[in-house]
Amino acid sequence: MLSIFDGLREVTLASVMVRLFLAVLCGGLIGLEREYKRRPAGFRTHILICLGAAMTTMTSQYLYLNLHFYTDMTRMGAQVVAGIGFIGAGTIIVTGRQRVKGLTTAAGLWAAAIAGLALGGGFYEGGLCVTVFVLAAELVFSRLEYWLLEKSPEINLYLEYSSRETIDRVLDLCHERGVKALHMEIARHTSGDKHNACAIFTLRLHKKCKIEMLLPVVAAADGVVSVKEL
């Protein structure tokens, strides 16, 4: 443990101010990255969650150490860990193209709450370290994730088409280029004389066939309204 924080382990006015300041700082740093990427929960949301979690831990300590309410000090913190799931779930959405968005933001909110609990409890080293690692995961490791996705042999295509025969044409085009269709899902369709539907394909590419080469070919097929990679 760092000796610089030894005088701030007890619940005093100075330690309370330092803990709340660090909660605002750490929550704000995590939230800035989310705000920059225009995610649902951004700068202020992360600050409020981290700040509230820190205050929860300090309240538990105050009730136990100062008012001598001999209850479980971890009970309030446990409710924060469980309750943050409701806020995190609100940031997760499923788009019309069956894409799940907001998982990283929800996980960041949960991590911000944990950092706040640590800072509120006087575990300054843990709260600061988890903030650094969360930022590393969102800023540095995201580049590695995007690189892996580019190298991944499996892709998902979102296809809008106007006739039933279009699916067969697309599958034939993929077969001609050695692309294997692993899964296909019809997302929606309308009944009547006109058949206007969308489908999601899971395809496995080979080294000589890149997504940039496949998309124009599929888009040019008869009956294809639009095609995009998910």
Side-chain angles (χ1 to χ4, degrees):
M1 296 296 174
L2 299 177
S3 59
I4 189 175
F5 295 119
D6 289 344
L8 299 173
R9 306 290 182 187
E10 301 293 332
V11 181
T12 61
L13 179 60
S15 68
V16 168
M17 296 302 295
V18 170
R19 295 177 192 187
L20 293 179
F21 171 77
L22 290 177
V24 172
L25 177 64
C26 293
L29 288 174
I30 297 174
L32 276 176
E33 189 273 339
R34 295 285 90 190
E35 189 78 34
Y36 178 75
K37 295 183 178 179
R38 297 183 180 274
R39 295 302 188 262
F43 181 64
R44 291 181 299 168
T45 304
H46 282 77
I47 287 179
L48 292 175
I49 286 177
C50 192
L51 194 61
M55 196 64 213
T56 299
T57 305
M58 287 190 293
T59 301
S60 298
Q61 289 182 339
Y62 182 80
L63 292 176
Y64 183 84
L65 298 175
N66 294 75
L67 298 184
H68 306 295
F69 290 170
Y70 296 106
T71 59
D72 186 359
M73 291 178 58
T74 63
R75 181 175 298 176
M76 294 181 67
Q79 297 305 311
V80 171
V81 175
I84 197 65
F86 290 96
I87 300 178
T91 67
I92 302 174
I93 61 172
V94 180
T95 66
R97 297 178 180 178
Q98 305 302 307
R99 292 189 65 183
V100 179
K101 300 184 66 176
L103 287 175
T104 302
T105 301
L109 289 172
W110 185 79
I114 300 301
L117 290 173
L119 293 170
F123 186 21
Y124 302 101
E125 297 86 352
L128 293 172
C129 285
V130 74
T131 301
V132 171
F133 285 121
V134 168
L135 289 174
E138 293 182 345
L139 293 173
V140 180
F141 299 159
S142 61
R143 298 181 181 179
L144 175 61
E145 182 181 9
Y146 295 145
W147 180 82
L148 290 175
L149 287 175
E150 292 178 356
K151 300 297 181 181
S152 175
E154 294 185 6
I155 63 169
N156 293 317
L157 287 186
Y158 175 83
L159 175 72
E160 290 188 8
Y161 58 97
S162 58
S163 64
R164 294 180 175 87
E165 294 77 15
T166 305
I167 294 294
D168 294 331
R169 296 192 190 102
V170 172
L171 292 176
D172 290 340
L173 288 172
C174 293
H175 180 72
E176 291 173 1
R177 286 156 179 78
V179 177
K180 184 178 180 180
L182 302 178
H183 179 72
M184 182 183 70
E185 176 184 352
I186 303 297
R188 68 176 183 270
H189 62 85
T190 57
S191 58
D193 297 335
K194 292 185 178 181
H195 185 79
N196 188 12
C198 63
I200 297 176
F201 292 88
T202 300
L203 305 176
R204 176 171 292 169
L205 306 178
H206 54 81
K207 294 182 179 180
K208 295 183 179 180
C209 182
K210 303 296 183 182
I211 182 61
E212 295 81 6
M213 301 167 56
L214 183 63
L215 280 179
V217 175
V218 175
D222 293 337
V224 174
V225 178
S226 66
V227 59
K228 292 183 178 180
E229 181 186 6
L230 293 180

